Amino acid sequence: ERTRRLEEGQPLSQITTDFCRAWGIQAKVLPMSDDRIPTLIETDQGVLSFQEYFVKLGCEPPVKGFRFQGVEGSRPAPGVLACIQAADLVVICPSNPWVSIDPILEVPGIRSALEKKTVLAVSPNIGGQAVKGPAAKMYREMDIEPSALAVAAHYGDLLDGFVIDEQDQNLEEKIISNGNGTLALYSTDIWMKNRTDRLSVAENILKFGRILEKEV
């Protein structure tokens, strides 16, 4: 249904709103853009579409880099910048920085809007491994040691706070020394195996965020 409506020229933001209404999802869910911005993966087998790399080839080809086709001429979807501007706190969830978060940050206007807000990120890496997906493999193939430290370095000055797992407390000094000198760290159990874990992590992040809001 989503594909059919997109092919008819309907904007993704409207389709998403309609789906949320149909499924009773009360949270406001916004796509990053109504423009089509395919993720392309540079590999030793050439440039591949993300679905070809991820599904057809099972993430096997070694990665060399990433492109977000057409992102330079794209615009944020309606409501995206307004939501960022109205937010007290922005949380970058524990997802793959390269192919899940970077496409959003590359849309013109989004990163600059975030730079004016209190932003914290949750590490997707625990003990040098990605909890889910090929993030750690991608890091290694680009000669970057996969770790919470690498994730913090990737986001750089965008972050005011960073949440890491208790297993990575040994990296705290390195993360701080490699940062902008003002990065606040919080360590907790971020491995979410069930609903109880997810609620606990969310509550801890919000507590940390409230502290950040007062400091920033």
Side-chain angles (χ1 to χ4, degrees):
E1 175 64 6
R2 172 182 175 275
T3 300
R4 181 188 69 78
R5 292 180 61 177
L6 285 172
E7 290 176 348
E8 288 181 351
Q10 297 183 42
L12 179 59
S13 55
Q14 183 59 55
I15 297 170
T16 303
T17 297
D18 292 345
F19 279 12
C20 288
R21 185 182 300 115
W23 292 327
I25 297 171
Q26 296 181 2
K28 181 180 288 187
V29 179
L30 299 173
M32 67 183 191
S33 178
D34 281 334
D35 298 307
R36 298 202 179 199
I37 311 170
T39 295
L40 303 178
I41 313 295
E42 298 173 358
T43 75
D44 62 355
Q45 296 184 23
V47 178
L48 306 172
S49 71
F50 181 77
Q51 291 303 321
E52 185 178 11
Y53 165 81
F54 192 82
V55 179
K56 182 179 179 180
L57 300 177
C59 304
E60 289 184 3
V63 168
K64 297 181 178 180
F66 309 92
R67 300 182 202 168
F68 310 116
Q69 188 174 19
V71 71
E72 299 86 356
S74 68
R75 294 179 298 174
V80 169
L81 294 184
C83 279
I84 293 174
Q85 290 161 3
D88 296 316
L89 174 70
V90 177
V91 179
I92 299 177
C93 293
S95 195
N96 187 317
W98 302 104
V99 296
S100 295
I101 307 301
D102 275 0
I104 301 171
L105 298 179
E106 289 292 321
V107 175
I110 290 184
R111 188 181 185 104
S112 59
L114 290 173
E115 288 172 348
K116 301 172 185 176
K117 309 303 295 187
T118 302
V119 180
L120 68 82
V122 184
S123 175
N125 289 353
I126 298 177
Q129 297 294 325
V131 174
K132 184 179 181 182
K137 173 180 177 291
M138 291 175 172
Y139 270 94
R140 292 190 185 96
E141 289 168 353
M142 291 187 289
D143 295 323
I144 303 172
E145 184 65 29
S147 67
L149 172 61
V151 176
H154 184 86
Y155 292 129
D157 290 348
L158 180 64
L159 301 184
D160 299 294
F162 190 49
V163 181
I164 63 175
D165 192 80
E166 293 169 336
Q167 294 183 39
D168 293 318
Q169 287 179 325
N170 61 308
L171 296 175
E172 288 187 3
E173 289 187 9
K174 289 184 179 179
I175 292 173
I176 293 173
S177 64
N178 279 273
N180 54 20
T182 61
L183 182 66
L185 287 183
Y186 180 77
S187 63
T188 184
D189 182 358
I190 59 173
W191 192 291
M192 295 176 281
K193 300 177 287 296
N194 51 49
R195 178 176 172 80
T196 299
D197 292 343
R198 292 194 290 273
L199 288 171
S200 176
V201 171
E203 289 170 356
N204 286 331
I205 288 171
L206 289 177
K207 289 177 184 176
F208 180 43
R210 281 190 282 271
I211 294 171
L212 280 180
E213 288 172 47
K214 296 177 182 178
E215 295 179 347
V216 175

